Amino acid sequence: MDSERKVLAFEEVTKHKERDNIWLLISGKVYDVTQFMEEHPGGDEVLLAATGRDATDDFEDVGHSDDAKELMQKYYIAEIDPSTIPLKKSSQLRPPPPVPHQAEDSGFLVKILQFFVPLLILGLAFAVQFLGKRENKEN
């Protein structure tokens, strides 16, 4: 890497997504992987599919080796300006679905069972103890 750090805007990275000019954004760094297209073990389509967006999750999900991560340094060209990266759309922003009415009923049933099951166990313990003493008296 150069001693002077180069910083690019996300918009500049998105311009480089053609087969003969591919830049990838991974972990806040920009890589020109054009020369690596034919060597990539997963094929060039994988790299093409990761262009124009933050490909960090794709890269991490595959579980690249330490050798692959070291090889990346050869293709490093710049850092990304984080303020220029658009926010990810998240499905978690949707409100949770309404709980069905049956779920309330089962919650009530669980509370009743939490009360009565220990009482039942306690009652059985006393019955066993009583029957044990009774059996000892008969012998």
Side-chain angles (χ1 to χ4, degrees):
M1 286 190 245
D2 297 331
S3 59
E4 188 176 317
R5 196 175 99 175
K6 186 175 178 183
V7 179
L8 296 173
F10 181 76
E11 184 178 302
E12 178 63 28
V13 176
T14 62
K15 294 176 185 176
H16 300 270
K17 55 184 177 181
E18 301 300 320
R19 190 174 296 279
D20 61 342
N21 185 13
I22 293 185
W23 289 7
L24 294 180
L25 170 59
I26 301 171
S27 301
K29 296 180 180 180
V30 180
Y31 301 91
D32 181 350
V33 295
T34 309
Q35 300 301 316
F36 186 63
M37 293 285 289
E38 292 182 23
E39 296 175 39
H40 187 258
D44 58 356
E45 292 302 319
V46 174
L47 297 176
L48 283 167
T51 62
R53 60 186 174 80
D54 186 344
T56 303
D57 290 341
D58 296 333
F59 182 82
E60 295 298 329
D61 287 348
V62 171
H64 285 88
S65 67
D66 290 338
D67 291 337
K69 292 175 183 177
E70 191 175 309
L71 181 63
M72 289 173 60
Q73 299 311 312
K74 178 179 175 181
Y75 302 103
Y76 170 85
I77 56 173
E79 300 284 322
I80 193 76
D81 178 355
S83 67
T84 63
I85 301 173
L87 295 176
K88 292 182 181 180
K89 294 179 184 175
S90 175
S91 60
Q92 295 177 351
L93 297 177
R94 294 184 208 146
V99 178
H101 184 65
Q102 291 176 344
E104 292 176 18
D105 293 341
S106 66
F108 179 70
L109 180 63
V110 168
K111 287 180 182 178
I112 288 177
L113 288 175
Q114 286 175 341
F115 178 75
F116 283 113
V117 168
L119 287 178
L120 179 64
I121 293 172
L122 187 61
L124 287 173
F126 280 120
V128 167
Q129 184 180 18
F130 177 75
L131 291 175
K133 285 183 181 180
R134 190 172 176 189
E135 190 174 299
N136 285 340
K137 282 183 181 180
E138 290 176 0
N139 290 334

